[in-house]
Amino acid sequence: MTKEDLKKIMTKEDLKKLKNKFFNYTDSFIKNTVNPGPFILKQDHTLRVCKEILYLGKELCLSKEQMLLAETTALLHDIGRFRQFKEYNTFLDQISEDHAALGLREIEKKNMLAFCTNDEKELIKNSIKFHNAAD
């Protein structure tokens, strides 16, 4: 981590803004469809994962900074599912495309990690990239 990165480490306020972006993004799928059920299901799943990661982080005695990174990763881990279902009408990666890769493209397109240092971005993106990998 560079000295410049140390000055910009993620804050609680950054996470709050990201949560607003997340809800604006996911709500756009919910509001612009005849069948919002699958999108609501994935939004609810994400919120449960965020709750669980906070519990696990507390049990593991993670630092404040580590907790912010963990919650950010939990919040974005399935962001690709929304575009996946809209484009392919399925959550099955094997008949559509890898939702993690799709999510990473959406994160870049929407510049969702602009507030992060390069090291934070790398950690978050790798966590998302491999969260559904068998190996």
Side-chain angles (χ1 to χ4, degrees):
M1 189 175 294
T2 66
K3 286 183 182 180
E4 184 176 314
D5 280 344
L6 287 172
K7 297 176 189 172
K8 303 184 291 185
I9 290 177
M10 184 191 307
T11 66
K12 238 181 168 171
E13 187 60 32
D14 292 327
L15 180 57
K16 184 178 178 183
K17 290 176 187 175
L18 180 61
K19 285 179 181 180
N20 287 334
K21 278 187 178 186
F22 171 83
F23 283 110
N24 287 335
Y25 178 80
T26 60
D27 285 347
S28 71
F29 291 92
I30 292 168
K31 292 174 184 172
N32 295 313
T33 186
V34 176
N35 179 18
F39 301 111
I40 294 169
L41 179 76
K42 285 301 167 183
Q43 193 180 61
D44 289 347
H45 163 74
T46 297
L47 297 178
R48 284 191 309 277
V49 171
C50 287
K51 183 178 176 182
E52 290 297 321
I53 203 69
L54 292 175
Y55 169 77
L56 290 170
K58 191 179 278 189
E59 290 296 310
L60 293 169
C61 301
L62 296 183
S63 70
K64 287 185 230 175
E65 293 82 11
Q66 290 170 322
M67 291 288 276
L68 289 170
L69 288 168
E71 190 172 2
T72 297
T73 301
L75 185 67
L76 297 178
H77 85 284
D78 266 354
I79 198 87
R81 291 290 193 193
F82 295 86
R83 176 73 49 207
Q84 181 186 44
F85 198 84
K86 181 180 181 186
E87 299 294 326
Y88 302 102
N89 201 38
T90 186
F91 291 127
L92 297 174
D93 290 1
Q94 59 271 31
I95 63 171
S96 59
E97 68 178 290
D98 177 29
H99 75 278
L102 184 54
L104 290 171
R105 289 196 308 273
E106 289 295 291
I107 289 166
E108 282 297 315
K109 191 165 101 178
K110 302 292 182 186
N111 201 22
M112 291 183 179
L113 298 177
F115 59 87
C116 293
T117 67
N118 289 333
D119 287 343
E120 290 169 339
K121 285 179 191 176
E122 184 178 351
L123 178 67
I124 293 164
K125 287 178 181 181
N126 281 332
S127 297
I128 292 167
K129 180 179 180 180
F130 297 116
H131 87 272
N132 64 331
D135 294 320

